[in-house]
């Protein structure tokens, strides 16, 4: 029997801290600037995905009976609850779990990024930290998001905890992005260095992420369902914060609680394709041969319940509710925005032009050619869940302010030695695109922000732009094209108007990729 997967729908809103006081509804002319509303929407998007709200939506504990409910399943707690976790957001998730579960939690082990406790303490985020005498042991490792000896020690401690469980026990597994590097446990005699060398060689020869994960899982004690197997016969509940487009549980942290669908032949096929089979270390050949001759075959994960408690789609659903409360007609375009940032920026720029024309009186309409070009751009981006037709239909019937929402993870081809991140790069490119089309009698704003609060090697989460950006920048002696040519978006936004267009949230303690907001309001 396969592991059960459930996606937790958005049920209750996260606590929301408004940026401004005043009336909440646009159509009542609250006077709130478009930029401030956009930042409120971004903040609510992030707020819904913070560990506390997420865990409280996922878990419900009856203190009297000790009955733990996870969606439609119930588990009896009687000093039998254990916890493990790995990922960039797991420290805060573990703190929330500890707060919720209290004395029912017997023990725990988590693997988190090096320096994260000090960073959270410095940021004043006490709610992201475990209690002083916590039963959860914390290992910090994977510096620069690369598996290392510290992360290996954490992984072995997690395996030891899992292997000591019985049929009476319940293992709560907390998983977030970055979990793969924080859970390295090669199958002996393969060493951590040998496994890293092989994956680097594959990557250098053009292997994609699916192929890399197939090899990683085959050589890992804990990935590809290995952790679930180690915990058997205990029941396993895995709470997953997704930072991967489409939320594939077998990909997030390399699927430690999801049985791998790949076999040794798949691995050999990949190694042959990239000319690496003959050069394999003896240890890797030994592990693959052993797996190929395993009489039990691939294991299953029927004792596992996998629940996605946070994702880009769930975050956008909260932003949609908040936008509607502010008086916007809101539509989620896609939670799977991918592709080159230049193409994505062109898409948003043209979308703003077409949508804006639909909101204005006849005579300012976008041409048929522009609308066809928009659909062509959308087709080239190959976004599986894009709701473009529905969004444009909503715009046509709106007669008032519109909020178009999307999320995902575009890619940036770095040029020059500038400083920036994909959100600031996207925002600056969209700003340049918006400047090419006179918006007519409609106010337009685009915002792009990383939900983890850190966009690339900068302290900003992202940025917001308006059609006047390029001309206003030129008046300050700043040439947008020049900054883009050297991937220097952060420097641009820091200089432009004293940095007012930058988003600053600090580390948020969560990560569900990026959020994009396009606001249009007829004057």
């Amino acid at each position: 029997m396969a592991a059960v997967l459930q996606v937790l729908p958005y049920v209750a809103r996260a606590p929301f801290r408004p940026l401004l006081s005043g009336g909440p509804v646009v159509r009542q002319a609250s006077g709130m600037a478009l930029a401030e509303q956009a930042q409120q929407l971004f903040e609510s998007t992030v707020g819904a995905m913070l560990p506390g709200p997420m865990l409280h939506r996922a878990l419900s504990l009856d203190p009297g009976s000790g009955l733990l409910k996870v969606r439609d399943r119930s588990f009896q707690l009687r000093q039998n609850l254990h916890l493990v976790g790995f990922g960039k957001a797991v420290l805060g998730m573990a703190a929330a779990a500890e707060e919720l579960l209290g004395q029912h939690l017997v023990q725990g082990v988590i693997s988190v990024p090096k320096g994260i406790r000090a960073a959270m303490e410095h940021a004043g985020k006490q709610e992201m930290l475990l209690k002083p005498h916590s039963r959860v042991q914390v290992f910090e490792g994977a510096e620069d998001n690369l598996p290392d000896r510290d992360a290996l020690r954490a992984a072995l401690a997690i395996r030891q905890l899992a292997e000591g469980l019985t049929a009476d026990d319940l293992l709560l597994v907390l998983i977030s992005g970055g979990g793969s590097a924080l859970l390295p446990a090669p199958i002996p005699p393969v060493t951590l260095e040998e496994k890293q060398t092989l994956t680097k060689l594959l990557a250098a020869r053009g292997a994609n992420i699916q192929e890399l994960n197939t090899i990683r899982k085959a050589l890992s004690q804990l990935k590809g369902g290995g952790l679930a197997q180690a915990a058997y016969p205990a029941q396993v509940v895995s709470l997953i914060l997704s930072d991967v487009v489409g939320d594939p549980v077998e990909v997030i942290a390399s699927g430690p609680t999801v049985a791998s669908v790949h076999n040794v032949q798949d691995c050999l096929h990949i190694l042959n394709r990239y000319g690496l089979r003959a050069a394999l270390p003896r240890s890797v050949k030994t592990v693959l041969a052993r797996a190929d001759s395993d009489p039990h075959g691939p294991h299953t994960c029927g004792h596992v319940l996998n629940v996605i408690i946070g994702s880009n789609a769930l975050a956008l659903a909260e932003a949609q509710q908040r936008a509607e409360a502010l008086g916007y007609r809101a539509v989620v375009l896609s939670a799977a925005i991918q592709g080159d940032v230049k193409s994505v920026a062109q898409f948003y720029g043209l979308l703003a032009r077409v949508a804006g024309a639909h909101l204005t009186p006849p005579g300012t309409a976008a041409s048929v050619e522009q609308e066809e070009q928009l659909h062509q751009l959308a087709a080239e981006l190959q976004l599986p869940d894009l709701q473009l037709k529905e969004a444009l239909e909503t715009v046509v019937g709106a007669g008032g302010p519109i909020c178009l929402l999307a999320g995902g993870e575009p890619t940036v081809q770095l040029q020059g030695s500038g400083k920036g991140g994909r959100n600031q790069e996207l925002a600056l490119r969209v700003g340049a695109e918006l400047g090419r089309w006179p918006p007519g009698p409609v106010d337009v704003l685009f915002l792009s922000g990383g939900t983890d609060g850190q966009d690339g090697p900068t302290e900003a989460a992202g940025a917001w732009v308006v059609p006047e950006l390029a001309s206003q920048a030129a008046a300050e002696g700043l040439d947008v094209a020049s900054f883009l040519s050297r991937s220097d978006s952060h420097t641009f936004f820091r200089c432009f108007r004293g940095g007012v267009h930058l988003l600053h949230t600090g580390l948020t303690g969560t990560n569900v990729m990026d959020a994009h907001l396009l606001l249009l309001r007829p004057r």
Side-chain angles (χ1 to χ4, degrees):
M1 183 171 68
V4 179
L5 168 65
Q6 297 190 15
V7 178
L8 192 66
Y10 185 81
V11 178
R13 290 183 184 170
F16 179 73
R17 177 173 58 83
L19 299 178
L20 282 185
S21 59
V25 183
V26 172
R27 53 181 177 268
Q28 290 181 354
S30 64
M32 197 182 289
L34 212 57
E36 290 160 340
Q37 290 177 339
Q39 290 179 73
Q40 277 200 11
L41 292 173
F42 179 69
E43 192 169 301
S44 66
T45 305
V46 173
M49 295 297 106
L50 292 178
M54 280 194 303
L55 265 292
H56 280 84
R57 288 196 298 271
L59 304 176
S60 151
L61 176 65
D62 183 339
S65 66
L67 201 65
L68 178 68
K69 288 190 177 178
V70 186
R71 297 289 284 139
D72 56 352
R73 296 273 294 275
S74 296
F75 302 89
Q76 185 62 54
L77 302 186
R78 42 180 180 273
Q79 289 298 299
N80 61 341
L81 178 63
H82 308 261
L83 179 150
V84 297
F86 31 90
K88 294 179 181 179
V90 158
L91 181 63
M93 293 169 75
E98 181 181 57
E99 184 71 33
L100 181 69
L101 300 169
Q103 295 302 307
H104 290 285
L105 185 58
V106 177
Q107 62 172 334
V109 177
I110 61 173
S111 179
V112 297
K114 190 173 288 294
I116 192 167
R117 283 179 293 184
M120 289 299 176
E121 201 163 336
H122 180 73
K125 293 188 178 290
Q126 294 302 315
E127 72 278 10
M128 299 284 179
L129 297 170
L130 292 162
K131 294 180 173 157
H133 302 292
S134 174
R135 296 179 181 181
V136 179
Q137 186 179 8
V138 181
F139 288 82
E140 291 190 3
E143 197 166 9
D144 299 323
N145 202 31
L146 294 171
D148 56 18
R149 288 284 159 189
D150 291 329
L152 176 60
R153 278 191 284 274
L156 296 180
I158 286 170
R159 188 195 68 184
Q160 185 177 17
L161 185 154
E163 287 178 340
L165 302 179
T166 71
D168 295 325
D169 290 316
L170 173 64
L171 179 63
L172 186 64
V173 183
L174 307 177
I175 301 175
S176 77
S180 187
L182 287 159
L183 196 72
I187 299 171
V190 177
T191 66
L192 181 60
E193 291 76 18
E194 285 173 330
K195 188 177 174 186
Q196 284 179 289
T197 299
L198 180 57
T199 52
K200 282 178 184 174
L201 282 170
L202 281 164
R205 297 194 182 190
N208 61 36
I209 186 63
Q210 289 80 11
E211 291 170 326
L212 290 172
N213 272 341
T214 299
I215 300 297
R216 283 191 189 115
K217 291 176 186 179
L219 301 178
S220 173
Q221 299 178 59
L222 297 176
K223 290 163 186 166
L227 175 59
Q229 187 181 32
Y232 186 83
Q235 290 291 303
V236 177
V237 172
S238 187
L239 304 181
I240 303 167
L241 176 62
S242 172
D243 71 335
V244 180
V245 167
D247 309 328
V249 288
E250 71 280 3
V251 173
I252 303 164
S254 299
T257 57
V258 184
S260 177
V261 297
H262 298 288
N263 57 33
V264 172
Q265 293 308 312
D266 295 324
C267 294
L268 294 176
H269 179 69
I270 292 166
L271 294 166
N272 278 331
R273 180 181 303 162
Y274 297 105
L276 290 171
R277 185 171 177 180
L280 288 178
R282 184 184 298 273
S283 59
V284 173
K285 291 178 180 175
T286 299
V287 167
L288 293 178
R290 193 188 300 154
D292 200 28
S293 60
D294 185 351
H296 302 295
H299 57 271
T300 60
C301 294
H303 58 302
V304 178
L305 172 64
N306 287 310
V307 183
I308 292 179
I309 63 169
S311 70
N312 194 266
L314 294 171
L316 293 178
E318 161 61 11
Q320 182 179 26
Q321 289 186 33
R322 178 58 57 180
E324 287 168 353
L326 288 170
Y328 287 89
R329 289 289 298 276
V331 180
V332 175
L333 277 168
S334 169
I337 297 291
Q338 296 181 94
D340 184 75
V341 70
K342 295 177 187 174
S343 300
V344 175
Q346 288 171 359
F347 170 75
Y348 282 131
L350 198 51
L351 175 63
R353 166 65 175 157
V354 172
H358 284 308
L359 286 174
T360 54
T364 56
S367 68
V368 173
E369 183 184 349
Q370 285 173 332
E371 196 144 345
E372 287 176 353
Q373 188 183 353
L374 176 63
H375 285 281
Q376 178 62 34
L377 266 173
E380 289 171 4
L381 285 169
Q382 297 182 324
L383 307 176
D385 65 341
L386 185 64
Q387 304 295 307
L388 180 57
K389 183 170 177 258
E390 294 81 351
L392 292 178
E393 286 172 356
T394 300
V395 171
V396 170
I402 286 287
C403 175
L404 302 178
L405 298 150
E409 210 167 75
T411 53
V412 176
Q413 300 295 324
L414 293 176
Q415 310 170 88
S417 56
K419 187 176 183 182
R422 64 175 176 265
N423 288 284
Q424 292 163 80
E425 174 96 6
L426 176 60
L428 188 53
R429 288 190 178 278
V430 171
E433 291 290 331
L434 293 176
R436 294 174 55 205
W437 311 103
V442 56
D443 293 321
V444 178
L445 181 143
F446 177 81
L447 177 150
S448 182
T451 55
D452 62 353
Q454 186 172 27
D455 186 33
T458 77
E459 292 183 359
W464 58 271
V465 295
V466 292
E468 299 79 18
L469 175 120
S471 59
Q472 291 172 346
E476 293 186 20
L478 302 171
D479 178 36
V480 170
S482 176
F483 283 93
L484 287 172
S485 70
R486 55 181 186 270
S487 299
D488 205 14
S489 55
H490 181 69
T491 304
F492 171 86
F493 282 115
R494 198 162 41 81
C495 296
F496 179 55
R497 297 201 154 185
V500 72
H501 282 249
L502 286 168
L503 292 175
H504 285 288
T505 62
L507 288 175
T508 63
T510 190
N511 182 18
V512 290
M513 299 182 290
D514 305 334
H516 306 153
L517 289 74
L518 180 61
L519 305 185
L520 301 103
R521 184 171 62 189
R523 291 179 192 143

